[in-house]
Amino acid sequence: MRPETDSRDSSPVVQGGGRHGEAERGTGTGSEALGEIQRGGEREGDPEHRKRDERGQKLPHTRIEKTRSMLALPEESTPVEGTRDSFWMPGKYVRTVRRTSDTYEACDLVVACFQERARVERSYAQQLSQWSSKWKPEVDASPLYGSLLRAWQCFLTSAERLSELHSSICRSLVSEDCDRVKTWQKETFHKKMCKGFRESQDLETGFTRAQKPWVRKLKKLEKARSAYHGACRKEQAARKRVAHTQGNPDVPMEKQKRAQEESELASLQVAKARAHYEKVLEEVTRYTPCYMEEMESVFDQSQEEERKRMSFLKQAFLSIHRHLNVTDNESVKAVYDELHRAIMSISERDDLRWWRSVQGPDMDTRWPQLQEWSPEAQLDTGVPKQDRRRAAPDKSMVPGAVRVRALFDFVGQEADELSFKAGEEILRTQEEDDRGWSRGVTDAGKEGFYPANYVQTIH
């Protein structure tokens, strides 16, 4: 089929297959009918259209004007496809109905996403714990001493505490957030026996009921439009025959007269078809506000349901954010504050002075001197060097007892070792030996050995 230009219509008109072809197109669906209305139409012969052209295009402000703009022929610069895809067109509400199933699928994705994030948190917690356990004996046996060693050890204890924190984040994501989304999903979306959701079916029913009269009127309008355009084509063909016969001496006068009569009859048919077309269009225009009101009522219902779903997911995301946001976690702040204090407590002067007194010139030394022989003299205590820290304290080697404060918790592993908490005060009765152990007495009266680098002298 080739497009043929109608003298009464500047838009291309497709030459159809006669009355039967027009009737078949008139029985199409509502969306096809509206597409034909938008593609076809008579603009040049419409007085109201000429008025609009003379005063410029007018934007619709009322529902009637909006309806006319929906049904009237578009200008050449207006994209027809955008109008045909509008929410008001038959069947285009399905995108709104589909939001219910889309949100259900989104819940599955949210749960899967943050379950994987929980596994990441658990893996990180395990790696922190393994790292701390691996390096603790290495750090304890390192050449560092004093406040430097304590700061290094604090990194390991901080890792242990952070490991527990990330384990709790993993538990919160799985047992609180993901379970909460799954429970809400089950309570909000009610599946049908066959397929889909009850909420989607209710919206589908509402939209279909609202559009049913509108689609029926569109079909009637398309039938009137097709009849009008068919009459216009016949009139155009009749005018061409008149133009061909007039002034042609080879055409008998009787045939010229018959052509003129057919042209006049075709013009009458055009006027009659146009009047009917305009009448049906006016009926559609009058009904449109009611149609829009019913559609908007169902649409507002779907919007309210969607608002509730969005509100819940917003609260779910806020809960996840609260669990993942370690910057506001007081436990994390305490861990890093303690680590910062341990680092800032590193004192070169104190550590060097300690080394001077323990391993340097200030160490107690028994200089050689004349010793009278005595049968009872025991120059060697008989205690092996490696077990010297287990020997009883020699109070004569310490000028006086000194009070110290514990920097870290310590749990004794043997019967002669002290156990204490960080901050507890101890009376040191014996200086640190060559293996880094001192002896002291707690306020409770328990006496034993403890690692010297776990305490600090009280000045």
Side-chain angles (χ1 to χ4, degrees), residues 356-404:
R356 181 182 181 89
S357 63
V358 175
Q359 303 291 343
D362 293 345
M363 291 181 63
D364 289 337
T365 303
R366 291 185 178 182
W367 299 102
Q369 57 181 340
L370 179 64
Q371 293 184 355
E372 297 293 341
W373 179 85
S374 173
E376 293 82 11
Q378 297 293 330
L379 297 180
D380 192 351
T381 61
V383 179
K385 183 177 181 180
Q386 60 272 21
D387 293 334
R388 193 172 297 166
R389 70 178 181 89
R390 303 302 183 191
D394 186 357
K395 299 295 183 66
S396 63
M397 297 180 61
V398 183
V402 177
R403 293 196 69 81
V404 296

Side-chain angles (χ1 to χ4, degrees), residues 207-220 284 287 290-291 294:
F207 282 124
T208 303
R209 186 181 295 114
Q211 277 197 347
K212 189 174 182 180
W214 166 262
V215 173
R216 188 164 55 247
K217 291 181 181 297
L218 284 184
K219 291 181 179 180
K220 184 178 179 181
V284 174
Y287 178 75
C290 178
Y291 163 66
E294 293 179 0

Side-chain angles (χ1 to χ4, degrees), residues 418-435:
L418 283 179
S419 297
F420 49 79
K421 298 289 186 181
E424 186 176 345
E425 293 187 4
I426 303 170
L427 182 63
R428 185 179 65 197
T429 59
Q430 181 178 323
E431 289 284 357
E432 181 181 0
D433 61 18
D434 57 350
R435 300 191 63 185

Side-chain angles (χ1 to χ4, degrees), residues 11-203:
S11 60
V13 179
V14 178
Q15 183 68 38
R19 289 196 312 274
H20 299 290
E22 297 295 337
E24 290 172 356
R25 284 204 300 272
T27 58
T29 63
S31 59
E32 294 173 350
L34 188 62
E36 291 295 331
I37 292 170
Q38 293 162 343
R39 290 191 295 272
E42 197 71 21
R43 292 185 293 174
E44 186 174 327
D46 184 359
E48 181 64 18
H49 180 77
R50 287 198 297 270
K51 291 178 183 178
R52 287 197 299 271
D53 286 347
E54 292 169 0
R55 65 174 180 264
Q57 183 64 32
K58 180 180 178 184
L59 292 175
H61 295 290
T62 65
R63 277 189 174 178
I64 294 296
E65 291 172 335
K66 185 175 181 180
T67 302
R68 290 186 184 276
S69 69
M70 291 166 56
L71 298 175
L73 268 173
E75 299 292 341
E76 292 181 358
S77 60
T78 304
V80 177
E81 292 299 328
T83 304
R84 291 162 62 183
D85 201 41
S86 170
F87 163 78
W88 301 104
M89 298 302 102
K92 297 303 180 181
Y93 58 79
V94 293
R95 292 169 296 191
T96 298
V97 174
R98 197 182 299 127
R99 288 192 300 181
T100 301
S101 58
D102 289 346
T103 306
Y104 182 87
E105 294 175 3
C107 290
D108 290 338
L109 292 176
V110 168
V111 171
C113 173
F114 290 104
Q115 281 180 341
E116 183 172 344
R117 176 58 188 268
R119 290 192 291 269
V120 171
E121 296 291 336
R122 181 180 60 191
S123 176
Y124 181 54
Q126 293 173 349
Q127 291 177 5
L128 280 176
S129 180
Q130 293 171 0
W131 174 79
S132 178
S133 301
K134 172 185 175 181
W135 281 97
K136 189 177 186 307
E138 299 288 340
V139 172
D140 291 343
S142 69
L144 295 185
Y145 56 89
S147 57
L148 272 175
L149 178 60
R150 290 192 294 271
W152 194 358
Q153 292 170 332
C154 192
F155 278 99
L156 304 182
T157 57
S158 298
E160 288 290 347
R161 295 169 63 180
L162 289 175
S163 173
E164 178 58 32
L165 171 66
H166 286 279
S167 295
S168 68
I169 292 177
C170 170
R171 292 190 295 269
S172 298
L173 289 176
V174 174
S175 61
E176 294 183 30
D177 298 323
C178 292
D179 287 352
R180 179 187 178 193
V181 172
K182 289 190 289 187
T183 301
W184 175 83
Q185 182 188 36
K186 183 178 180 180
E187 295 175 351
T188 304
F189 301 93
H190 303 87
K191 291 185 176 181
K192 294 167 56 180
M193 292 295 295
C194 51
K195 186 179 180 181
F197 300 94
R198 189 179 65 196
E199 292 76 15
S200 299
Q201 183 183 26
D202 293 342
L203 292 176

Side-chain angles (χ1 to χ4, degrees), residues 145-147 150 345-364 402 428 431-432 456-459:
Y145 56 89
S147 57
R150 290 192 294 271
S345 66
I346 296 176
S347 172
E348 299 89 339
R349 185 186 63 180
D350 292 345
D351 287 356
L352 293 175
R353 185 173 57 194
W354 176 86
W355 185 266
R356 181 182 181 89
S357 63
V358 175
Q359 303 291 343
D362 293 345
M363 291 181 63
D364 289 337
V402 177
R428 185 179 65 197
E431 289 284 357
E432 181 181 0
Q456 186 177 31
T457 303
I458 301 176
H459 298 290

